[in-house]
Amino acid sequence: MYDSIILRTVSRLMLPILLLLSLFMLVRGHNLPGGGFIGGLVAASAFILQIIAYGPKYIREVFPISFLRLAAFGVIFAALWGLIGLATGQAYMLAFWIKEPIPGIGKLGTPVLFDIGVYLTVIGVTTQLALVLAEEPILYPIPRPPARPDAVAPEV
Amino acid sequence: MLVLIVLTALLMAPLGLFARHESRPVVGWILALIPLALFVTISALAPTVLAGGRVEQAIPWVPRMGLELRFALDGLSLLFALLVSGIGTLIVLYTAYYLAGDPGMGRFYLTLFIFMGAMLGLVLADNVLTMFMFWELTSVSSYLLVGYKHDYPSARRGAQMGLLITVGGGLALLVGLVLLGNAAGSYTISEILAAGEQIKASPLYTPAMLLIFAGCFTKSAQFPFHFWLPNAMQAPTPASAYLHSATMVKAGVYLLARLHPTLSDTPLWLYTLTIVGMTTMLIGAVTANRRDDIKGLLAYSTISKLGTMVLLAGMGGPEAPAALVATILAHALYKGALFMLAGAVDHEAGTRSLSQLGGLRRAMPWTAALAILSSLSMAGVPILFGFVAKEEQLYAAVDNGLPPGFDILVLIAVVTSAVFGVLYSWRLVSGVFFGPRGSGMKEHVHEAPAGMLLGPALLTTLSVVLPLGLLPATATLLQPAVNAISNEGAKISLYLLPSQIGLPLILSMTALLIGAVLTRFEPQIVAAPSPLPPWLNGDRIYDAAVDGVLRGATIFTRTLQNGKLRSYMTWAVLTLVVVVAPPLALFGFGGLALPTLDGVEPFEFVSALLIPIGIVATLNARSRLGGIIAASFVGLMVAFIFVIYSAPDLALTQLLVEILTTVFLVLLFAVMPASFERLSSPSERSRDGLIAVVAGMVIAGVAFAASSVTQVPNISAAFRTESQSQGFGDNVVNVILVDFRGFDTLGEIVVLFTALLGIYAMLRLRPVADPTRDDEETPLQPTLPEVAALLGNGQAGQPAPREREAPVAGKGH
């Protein structure tokens, strides 16, 4: 979309770093600033950076998943863990925790899983929105095939 | 047992769908076993009721709202329940032949059984709210039945009209019933009746009764709401016979009779019901004689009889309850039969128009015989049950509870309607079965199948046989119903010939005689002008009302949603101001502590001051890019203030949202002209500015007011301690988000996802006339109006699109 060699190089380097950062934000959220929403936004901005640098087609090829489905999955995933409370005859969304903390992740419980659902939803919604806009044919028409192919420099 | 009876019909309804694959009469014979079983079960309970007992059953539902599934069977319920299940059995059988081969038969049966269950629930309910629920369910199932032939606009219109009018009345009824329940202190019907005197003394009595009347009058097709019933004749004939003559339209009468024992003895009750009932009775009787469609004729005669019933429920007097019960039974017998026979004629001859029918007595001898007998009952000719009921009506009218002068009027009205009753009965019989062969009929008309005549035959036989020796037994059966309507110990005694010749018999004979004479003048009467002034045409008023609502809604929508983003914003912000400002001004400023600048560090002050600078810069930006930068500057300063006040989660979120918003704006603005165009006039701009400033002040006021309210103990400390002990997390904000208030968060992500779905649907699923991105044959020529429409900004007719350099997508791996 925006043809800049610097942007492309940097964004390519930034992608894994931003995704790792988003996971980090998600995991540390329970005790330190962060959480599913912030982590999701960081991950989405990583994807959107790729969209700006390379265009929507690229991200479709590199991440061949439907972000719409990802968002839907996130909502269902988040809602799912609350059912444990119902199944055991208590309130919906009652928190359940594993007693021993898991090394590297910390304590695991249904609120953390719920947060993962939020995380996935935010990624899906934000990225899909950017894709919908970037792939909008009225805004970004398909480059028409040149009248004389030799008039345009061949693509790299 | 009672709950089971109601639930059986409702739960067995899906069985009706078997008729989808096998729309042959045999299915109807099997399905008829359901209502038959209900009829037998209810009959088995009858001895208890006849012995003066009551069958009750209650299941708590929402006890706090006084809502419970409470059912009771007394004399009145018994009569209606037997009619609903008994005629229901015959209708199910009749349908099997009437709709034979129709692929929609399963759907029809399904709705019919739902209606049956609802109607049984209505008449058995002993709680007004339970009753209301079933009341509405009958309206909805009636809508589906009337609209059965939904390919026809007239059927759709008839269905919609019936639904809107009965459900509109139902709303009034609900309010009335709640008021009644409040006045009585209970929603149980038997307790409401016990508290009759208390209710009549209550100021709620008048509004409650008027609202309940509105519900009953709409349901029972009383003037001026009667016009929906003829339009509902678009229903298949089994539904007309069942709902619109024998059962549903009597629901209003049923409720009036139900409330009659202790709530009736007031001028309000007396005059409202008498006047409305009398008007309806006369209009129905006169209009029935002007109809050419035999179902229309029967519909108006039903309206007339419903008016008679309301009149009997209203006018008081010792004989009225007995007359009401006798009329209900007689009408169900002959009108149910006549509707089914009209359907048989329509089915075989292919038309329902009196002017196109004629001379069918040779082709359809059985139908003719049954129709003649039932019509004689409808006309009130002696030795038929209709005559017995008419005698009762006249007895009641002679001895009514109205003041002098008025009572004579009612008597005259009843006799007049009897005269016209003779006339329309004669028109029906002579027009269909006698005279020359009709012009618009099928070539070869055959007798209707035996299964189709079974129901009418049974009902007609009852009309004939009951007066021949079974009257004392019938009176015994009906006595509990009379007891339920009247608590003054009214007795029902049916007889064919009175012991002495009194006024009622003379009037009855006179009516027959005048009616017989009037048959000579049938053409003149048919051609006579309508008794109602032309502006009082319910159909036309209804159409005008529906049109008006639609037009109003269109204007409203066009004003609010004109496709311009800026006006959406204006309306949204204006609504916020209008909703929030008054309560804020009224209640928000008590104990308001104005903020002081104590302890504000200079750098905090400066960073706060940078925000308005950013706003001014945004407003004055000349280019789009400048506007975006200035706006995000405001957002970033807000994030910075969050940082200062150590709210890192908020700051992080604000920062990320700010960045992503900028990206989205850039995505859109990249294809727009670089500089802003002034599309709105200076006056519009100052108006919008005013709204914005006021909205900002309101929100600032809310923030101040919220921070200075001290009545509620602060919850932060509790959250802070609970967060670690209960939520196992140190980050209070996040623990609140995912645990304490997790349900809110769930709601938010659902909103987020729904918004995505909306945007996705708007942009991706719209019909695209332009070539898509995969189709590169024809060059894409987006116009500026298209872009503008997409953004909801600007309007059509902008300058022609300039050639832009299309951004290059997906290049350069």
Side-chain angles (χ1 to χ4, degrees), chain B residues 724-757:
Chain B
Q724 273 171 329
S725 61
Q726 303 286 315
F728 304 107
D730 297 329
N731 182 356
V732 185
V733 176
N734 205 50
V735 172
I736 291 174
L737 279 179
V738 300
D739 196 344
F740 296 156
R741 310 298 301 271
F743 201 65
D744 290 357
T745 311
L746 184 64
E748 278 155 22
I749 59 174
V750 170
V751 169
L752 203 61
F753 182 66
T754 314
L756 172 67
L757 281 186

Side-chain angles (χ1 to χ4, degrees), chain B residues 16-27:
Chain B
L17 290 175
F18 280 122
R20 266 166 81 98
H21 305 293
E22 195 72 9
S23 56
R24 287 186 308 170
V26 61
V27 182

Side-chain angles (χ1 to χ4, degrees), chain B residues 595-614:
Chain B
T596 55
L597 293 177
D598 296 343
V600 178
E601 300 289 330
F603 71 97
E604 295 170 357
F605 193 71
V606 170
S607 40
L609 216 59
L610 283 173
I611 295 177
I613 292 176

Side-chain angles (χ1 to χ4, degrees), chain B residues 22-93:
Chain B
E22 195 72 9
S23 56
R24 287 186 308 170
V26 61
V27 182
W29 283 89
I30 298 168
L31 286 175
L33 292 175
I34 301 170
L36 187 66
L38 293 174
F39 183 79
V40 171
T41 316
I42 297 166
S43 307
L45 296 172
T48 320
V49 177
L50 289 177
R54 229 171 105 87
V55 187
E56 289 190 28
Q57 190 178 9
I59 299 175
W61 189 1
V62 191
R64 250 180 294 173
M65 282 169 62
L67 192 59
E68 52 179 356
L69 280 176
R70 174 180 279 278
F71 296 100
L73 185 73
D74 67 352
L76 189 62
S77 306
L78 179 70
L79 172 65
F80 272 95
L82 287 177
L83 283 179
V84 169
S85 54
I87 296 186
T89 311
L90 303 178
I91 293 288
V92 169
L93 266 186

Side-chain angles (χ1 to χ4, degrees), chain B residues 576-655:
Chain B
L576 179 84
V577 170
V578 169
V579 171
V580 174
L584 178 71
L586 286 175
F587 311 112
F589 295 114
L592 178 69
L594 277 177
T596 55
L597 293 177
D598 296 343
V600 178
E601 300 289 330
F603 71 97
E604 295 170 357
F605 193 71
V606 170
S607 40
L609 216 59
L610 283 173
I611 295 177
I613 292 176
I615 294 173
V616 173
T618 313
L619 290 177
N620 288 326
R622 290 215 189 93
S623 69
R624 286 180 202 278
L625 196 60
I628 296 173
I629 291 172
S632 46
F633 176 75
V634 174
L636 291 177
M637 285 326 291
V638 172
F640 184 60
I641 288 187
F642 286 148
V643 172
I644 296 174
Y645 286 98
S646 36
D649 281 286
L650 277 183
L652 264 176
T653 313
Q654 172 79 21
L655 203 63

Side-chain angles (χ1 to χ4, degrees), chain A residues 1-3 8 12 25 29-38 41-42 44-45 48 52 54-58 60-61 67-68 71-72 74-75 78-79 92-93 95 97 107 111-112 114-115 117-118 121-122 124-126 128-145 155-156, chain B residues 648-650 652-653 656-657 659-660 663-664 666-671 726-732 734-735 737-739 742-746 749-750 752-753 755-757 759-760 763-764 766 768 770-776 779-783 786-787 790-791 803-804 806-813:
Chain A
M1 295 189 53
Y2 188 77
D3 198 357
R8 288 186 176 183
R12 184 166 279 185
M25 281 291 182
H30 220 59
N31 292 313
L32 290 161
F37 195 80
I38 293 171
L41 287 179
V42 171
S45 56
I48 291 171
I52 293 174
Y54 294 102
K57 216 168 176 178
Y58 173 75
R60 291 275 192 214
E61 280 162 14
F67 286 96
L68 191 66
V75 174
Y92 179 63
M93 290 195 82
W97 293 91
K107 284 186 76 88
V112 176
F114 174 79
D115 215 11
V118 175
T121 310
V122 172
V125 169
T126 318
Q128 182 65 56
L129 274 186
L131 276 175
V132 163
L133 286 176
E135 291 176 344
E136 175 54 48
I138 290 179
L139 293 181
Y140 300 100
I142 307 301
R144 115 180 41 152
E155 297 224 351
V156 183
Chain B
D649 281 286
L650 277 183
L652 264 176
T653 313
L656 284 165
V657 167
I659 290 167
L660 288 172
V663 171
F664 284 129
V666 168
L667 279 177
L668 291 174
F669 283 0
V671 290
Q726 303 286 315
F728 304 107
D730 297 329
N731 182 356
V732 185
N734 205 50
V735 172
L737 279 179
V738 300
D739 196 344
F743 201 65
D744 290 357
T745 311
L746 184 64
I749 59 174
V750 170
L752 203 61
F753 182 66
L756 172 67
L757 281 186
I759 296 170
Y760 191 87
L763 291 181
R764 281 289 164 81
R766 62 169 192 261
V768 182
D770 315 312
T772 57
R773 61 179 64 76
D774 299 325
D775 178 13
E776 301 187 336
L780 189 74
Q781 288 225 318
T783 59
E786 269 179 326
V787 178
L790 191 73
L791 297 173
E803 281 294 320
R804 338 184 213 88
V808 182
K811 207 170 89 174
H813 304 275

